[in-house]
Structure formats: structure tokens, C-alpha cells
Amino acid sequence: MHPAFSVIFLTTLIGAAQGLFLAMVAVQFHVGVNGFAAPEAVGFYAVGSVISLALLGAGLLASFFHLGHPERAWRAAAQWRTSWLSREVIVLPAFMGMVFLYGVAHWQGMPTLLPALAGVVLAFALFVCTGMIYACLRFLREWHSPLTVLNYTLLGSASGFTLATAFATFSAPHAVRFLGGWAVALTAAAFIGRLASLIRNARLKPKSTLQTAIGIKHPKIVQKTQGFMGGAFNTREFFHGKPVATLRAIKWFFLVASFFVPLLLLGFGGDGAAIFLILAFVIQYAGLLAERWFFFAQANHPQNLYYQSIA
Amino acid sequence: MTQLALVIDLNVCVGCHACVTSCKEWNTSGEAGPMSDQNPYGADPSGTFFNRVQTYEVGEFPNTETVHFPKSCLHCEDPPCVPVCPTGASYKRKEDGIVLVDYDKCIACKYCSWACPYGARELDEKQQVMKKCTLCVDRIYDMSMPEADRKPACVKACPTSARLFGDVHDPESVVSVAIREQGGYPLMPEWGTQPSNHYLPRKKTRITLHPDELVRSDNPLKADGREPSTNGNGNGPTLEDASNW
């Protein structure tokens, strides 16, 4: 597939925002529901909610660049019975609303248990929706796996907890160790999950072949022409057009930048050295951009069988 | 239930692209708006098409066959592109099974094109909506046309009648008979999409001829004892000489 930057930014930004929200709720339950004293609570939870909302808003904005008719985007909520994309379109604003309520509740000193729990449910629902958009496409076999949903959840959570750890050095220093531990655990878990999907995808054998594509049972079939000499949607949307070496380089980059470097920096910054933790998040986020690019580029669409030769 | 579909005879298709141009001509002139082209006379032309003819070489030289393969939307009985559409712009008609796109609802998220294993859907770059074969839905029901013209433009254009059109759920329709009697098959059956369009396979046309069958027994030249003969020396009996008494 041709990786679209709109979708890469959408999924990575909202993933980090969901993770950050989950991290805030985790801290809240860790220190008790009434947790910190008011000024600190406002600093951590309310400003944290603003950061989470900003990331969600940026992701939502990025998603509009994916649409040919963004002014009709509201229609996308219609088919929630059948379409995971439609479900995501509903859950994303619902989650944003809950993050907003959560932030306001902390800021105003109101009860926060309800928005916290509802927000957690919505955060996980959003991970499932985002992952299932890709996992439900059965003939894109690199995506058609429970690992896709698991990895969207783990990668988003890991980056969100890393961000929360860095943010906590300014707003809630005594939560840094707790959050840092979770960030390390989630980053390690995300590494295992992503490694599992890389191994799975490397062993995939294509189900569709040129033989099933045109229905001729002969071992040797060569396309002589795809029917046109210029470009078409079919030749643009479904091919990444990069050499194998580039793909391999991006794979190694994201493995190092999303997992190894953040794990090292989280280790160094465990006692609250902000610079290490900020760097950990920035590098991890850059790694996740590359991870998402690779996620799309690696998916091999069966329609490509029909577009192998110009003339 | 009706399920309109095309049956394409690969044994007859000569790869002339008449269906491609006829489709484009009809559908670019319709009320749904043109099928836009980008840079049509430039270095890298690109455009929207509902139908393409591709060419494959089967076998190894010198034992090869050239197969021309027209490809358009297959109007699947279980179309994977429809349930994924978030707006409901993509839908399958109950009354005749045609899969269509409502251009007024499409937001061009391209998700349906990802969900189609055949690459049957194309984004119109100018109109920014997803487009695909409509089986000329604006033509086949047009009562102002003579009945013979109420067929998809590609079917009308095909000079070798390689394209048949009809209801694959009616066992006596021309398409059902062709599928049944000539081994019609769907594309990529492994995904369970149940394409309505079918393809008829290539077949070898062979005929066994006995030399007798090439000779007229009542050839007047033969009565004169001059020409021709079947046994090589010009005067042997033919099969008909032996049986026709």
C-alpha cells in the first residue's frame, strides 16, 4: 500500500493521546482517587488533559487531509453497524469529549471517577476501532491478525506513557518512577508484539496468485500489459514505490527508535532527568511514524497482481 | 432475486479495447458527471476508467498463448467494499444486485478501494469521489431506447460478442446457460466474495477430418476418371462410393 501521511499522523497522534490519558488515570488510581492536593492535580491532570486533547485534535485535523470531501465528513458516522471506520469516527469525538470532561472535573475539583472510567473504556474502544479498520480487511493478510489491534494498543500506550513520564517531571515528580516503570513495560511489550507481527508477516504465503486472479491454471503466466501506459489510481494507491533497501532501512530505524533508544533513555531518566525523558518521547514518536509508514508499505494488496507490467 | 452481471468469454476476446473506449464514452457523458482525465495529452497521462483490457502470456515460448483479459467491477454477491463504507455511499441494490456509489455521499476516504481485492474502484481525482462500473444503470432501464440498446455500453461495443449481459440468478438466461455449459468461473474465489461476473475459459478448437470428407463423391471430374482421387493414385473408391448404393 502507499502510506498516506494523513493516516500516519492520525493514528500515531491519537495513540499517544490515548496512552497519555490512560497514564493519567493510572496515576490517579495509584495514588488514590483523591490523590494529589488540588494545585498539583490541576498541574498534572488538567494540563495533561489539555495536552491529550491537543494531540487528539491534531490527529483529527490530519485525518481530514485524507478525505477528498472533508466537508461531508459528518456523514461518516452513519454506518456504525458495519464499518469500523464509522465506529472510529463516533468513538474519537466521544473520547475527546470525555478527556475534556475529565480535565474540567480535575480543574474544578469535581468528582472525577466517572469521566475517568468512561474515558478508559472509550480509549480502549478507540484502539480497537483503529486497529480493526486494518485487521478486518481479510485479503490484506499482513493486517488481518489480532496482532494489529494489539500493536495499535501497545504502541499507542507506550508512547503515551513515555510522554506522561516526561510531563510528570514538571507536574508530578513523585509519579515519575511509577509512570517510567509502566512506560518501560509497555515499550517492551510493544516491541514483543511488533516483533511477533514482523515474524508472522515474513512467513506469509500469498493466497491470491496470478492464476486465481485471472482464473487460468497454468504455472507460467506473465502480464504483458496492464491495459494503459500512464498512471492510474490503481498504480498509485496500492504501491509504495520504494526499493526493498529503503523498506529494510525504515524497519531497522523504527525498531531502534521506537523501542531500544526510548528504553535506554527511560532508564537514564528514571530519577526524573527531564531532558532524557523528553528525548525518549520525541525519538519514540519519530520511530512510531516510521513504524506506521512501514505498516502500510508492507501490506501487499492482491489487486497489485493485475498491475505488474505497463507494456 | 435478480443479479445482473457480465459474462466475458476469454476464448473470443481479441483485446481490441472497444469496450474500454465505449464505456468511457458513455459514462463520461452521463448526468453523473465526467470521468475526469489528468494530463491527457501530457507526459504522464492518467484518468478514470471503469473497465480495462489487460493482456497476459500463458506458457513458455514457443508454446504460448496470448490471453486478453477485460477487467471491471464484478458486482460481487457479497461485496467486501460495501460494509466498510462509513457513509453508506457504497451500496448494493436489492432489486438487481448492482453495486453502486452515491457520488453525493462519498467522502473519498478510499477505504472501499482497500477492501476490494480486484482493484475495481478508482478515485476520480477531479470530482474526488470513488467510481466504478455501474453496469450502465442509466442505460439498461432507459425506456426511451430500443430494447436491443438496453445493454451496457461495453456489451454493445464488443465486435466479437465476447461480453454477455443478463441475470445470473435466472437459470435460463443467456449468462447462466453460458456459465453452466461453458465452464464459467469467478475470479479469486479464495476470498468468498462470490463475484457475479464470470469468465468463460479459453478452449482448443479442434476438428478431426478424414481425407474423404474433403472430396465430393459426385464431382463430375471424378466421373470422367480424371480428378480427384482419395487413395493417392486417383482411382480408389471413396467412403461414399462404398456406402451410397
Side-chain angles (χ1 to χ4, degrees), chain A residues 66 68-69 72 76 79 82-83 133 138-139 208 212 214 220 222-225 227 231 234 236-237 301 306-307, chain B residues 45-46 53-55 57 59 71 83-84 86 103 106-107 109-111 114-116 119 127-128 185 188 190-191:
Chain A
H66 188 66
H69 277 287
R72 299 178 187 164
Q79 299 296 312
T82 60
S83 172
I133 286 174
R138 61 186 182 274
F139 33 76
S208 286
T212 69
I214 66 171
K220 190 168 184 333
V222 183
Q223 186 175 51
K224 288 295 167 185
T225 166
N234 301 77
R236 287 188 294 266
E237 181 74 3
H301 200 290
Y306 294 109
Y307 300 92
Chain B
S46 176
V53 177
Q54 309 188 320
T55 301
E57 187 176 88
K71 179 169 91 74
V84 301
Y103 298 159
C106 178
I107 58 174
C109 67
K110 310 176 197 78
Y111 194 27
W114 296 6
C116 171
Q127 215 173 329
Q128 283 296 319
Y185 62 85
M188 291 188 191
E190 61 271 22
W191 301 119

Side-chain angles (χ1 to χ4, degrees), chain B residues 93 96 98 100 134-142:
Chain B
R93 305 214 313 176
D96 54 16
I98 302 180
L100 289 176
T134 66
L135 278 182
C136 285
V137 70
D138 54 345
R139 191 183 163 98
I140 57 178
Y141 296 111
D142 188 346

Side-chain angles (χ1 to χ4, degrees), chain A residues 8-9 11-13 15-17 19-20 151-166 179-192 194 250 252-267 275-293:
Chain A
I8 291 174
F9 278 110
T11 54
T12 51
L13 286 169
L20 173 60
N151 288 339
Y152 267 87
T153 309
L154 288 175
L155 292 164
S157 300
S159 62
F161 271 78
T162 307
L163 174 60
T165 313
L179 284 169
W182 273 103
V184 167
L186 285 165
T187 302
F191 172 66
I192 293 168
R194 195 64 179 95
I250 287 174
W252 283 108
F253 172 76
F254 91 68
L255 285 173
V256 171
S258 312
F259 306 113
F260 292 113
V261 175
L263 281 175
L264 276 179
L265 290 170
L266 282 164
I275 183 69
F276 287 124
L277 297 173
I278 292 170
L279 259 182
F281 173 70
V282 171
I283 291 172
Q284 187 168 42
Y285 183 74
L288 288 182
L289 290 177
E291 186 277 332
R292 215 44 52 88
W293 188 93

Side-chain angles (χ1 to χ4, degrees), chain B residues 57-156:
Chain B
E57 187 176 88
V58 179
E60 206 152 352
F61 182 82
N63 299 314
T64 56
E65 275 192 40
T66 303
V67 177
H68 301 293
F69 177 82
K71 179 169 91 74
S72 57
C73 171
L74 306 171
H75 299 277
C76 299
E77 308 234 16
D78 186 7
C81 54
V82 168
V84 301
C85 176
T87 67
S90 196
Y91 63 104
K92 184 174 176 68
R93 305 214 313 176
K94 282 213 166 50
E95 61 269 33
D96 54 16
I98 302 180
V99 178
L100 289 176
V101 181
D102 184 338
Y103 298 159
D104 293 330
K105 284 188 186 168
C106 178
I107 58 174
C109 67
K110 310 176 197 78
Y111 194 27
C112 56
S113 73
W114 296 6
C116 171
Y118 307 102
R121 292 170 160 258
E122 296 192 18
L123 183 80
D124 189 309
E125 297 286 351
K126 182 151 192 296
Q127 215 173 329
Q128 283 296 319
V129 291
M130 199 53 78
K131 294 191 172 178
K132 60 179 285 302
C133 163
T134 66
L135 278 182
C136 285
V137 70
D138 54 345
R139 191 183 163 98
I140 57 178
Y141 296 111
D142 188 346
M143 292 302 159
S144 67
M145 282 187 174
E147 193 174 348
D149 283 341
R150 289 181 221 148
K151 287 178 177 172
C154 58
V155 176
K156 288 288 294 177

